[in-house]
Amino acid sequence: MKTFRRELYFQTEKRRQLINITDQVAEAVKDSGVSEGLVLVNAMHITASVFINDDESGLHHDFEVWLERLAPEKPYSQYRHNGFEDNADAHLKRTVMGRETVVAISGGKLDLGPWEQIFYGEFDGKRRKRVLIKIIGE
Ligand code: ZN
């Protein structure tokens, strides 16, 4: 069995941002030489997510509105965690959107559905953060 590990780095300009990382994951799969296996992609920070959904700007706006309704950023005073930081909302948003995604590799390629795209979801950005890609297979 082969294994392959890579880290991606992101430093978003905005506090919250969704970034399509499908091409970077596909490149890692290619570089791994694995043709049949699995790729795990996970955020290495507890205020960011990796998830799969549609790359459609209206939907991305809907995610922002929905997440702000579930866990509004402000007022900061509404959260106990914000006694230490101002990012309680980002921890909650990350939990809703998920830590990681796993995608099958078939024939050396990501075996995604027709509209599936892999996203890095940043909820407390403007600083350097990492995503782990781990590939296993043969
Ligand atoms: Zn925090």
Side-chain angles (χ1 to χ4, degrees):
M1 188 187 75
K2 288 183 199 163
T3 69
F4 181 90
R5 184 185 190 280
R6 176 172 291 169
E7 290 180 7
L8 305 179
Y9 293 87
F10 299 96
Q11 182 157 354
T12 60
E13 306 217 328
K14 292 188 281 184
R15 179 177 170 109
R16 288 189 292 280
Q17 203 168 319
L18 302 184
I19 301 171
N20 188 332
I21 61 170
T22 311
D23 288 347
Q24 285 156 284
V25 177
E27 190 182 333
V29 169
K30 189 178 164 201
D31 294 347
S32 75
V34 168
S35 59
E36 297 296 322
L38 295 171
V39 54
L40 164 76
V41 189
N42 69 268
M44 298 180 85
H45 301 264
I46 52 181
T47 53
S49 292
V50 171
F51 63 95
I52 292 183
N53 220 300
D54 195 359
D55 196 355
E56 195 278 308
S57 61
L59 180 66
H60 295 182
H61 174 79
D62 295 338
F63 274 131
E64 166 67 17
V65 171
W66 178 65
L67 289 168
E68 269 297 285
R69 205 154 48 206
L70 283 175
E73 179 189 340
K74 294 171 183 169
Y76 294 131
S77 61
Q78 72 189 305
Y79 299 108
R80 286 196 186 181
H81 178 66
N82 286 348
F84 305 95
E85 294 180 287
D86 69 356
N87 65 1
D89 70 300
H91 289 276
L92 299 175
K93 286 167 175 138
R94 181 277 169 110
T95 303
V96 168
M97 296 303 284
R99 171 184 181 263
E100 78 277 308
T101 190
V102 177
V103 180
I105 301 165
S106 303
K109 295 194 167 160
L110 291 172
D111 205 342
L112 291 166
W115 297 102
E116 288 189 316
Q117 295 286 295
I118 306 167
F119 288 90
Y120 174 66
E122 177 62 81
F123 306 114
D124 183 24
K126 301 187 207 173
R127 56 199 171 100
R128 190 170 152 89
K129 289 162 89 168
R130 290 181 293 160
V131 165
L132 175 67
I133 299 176
K134 182 81 181 192
I135 298 167
I136 58 170
E138 50 192 44

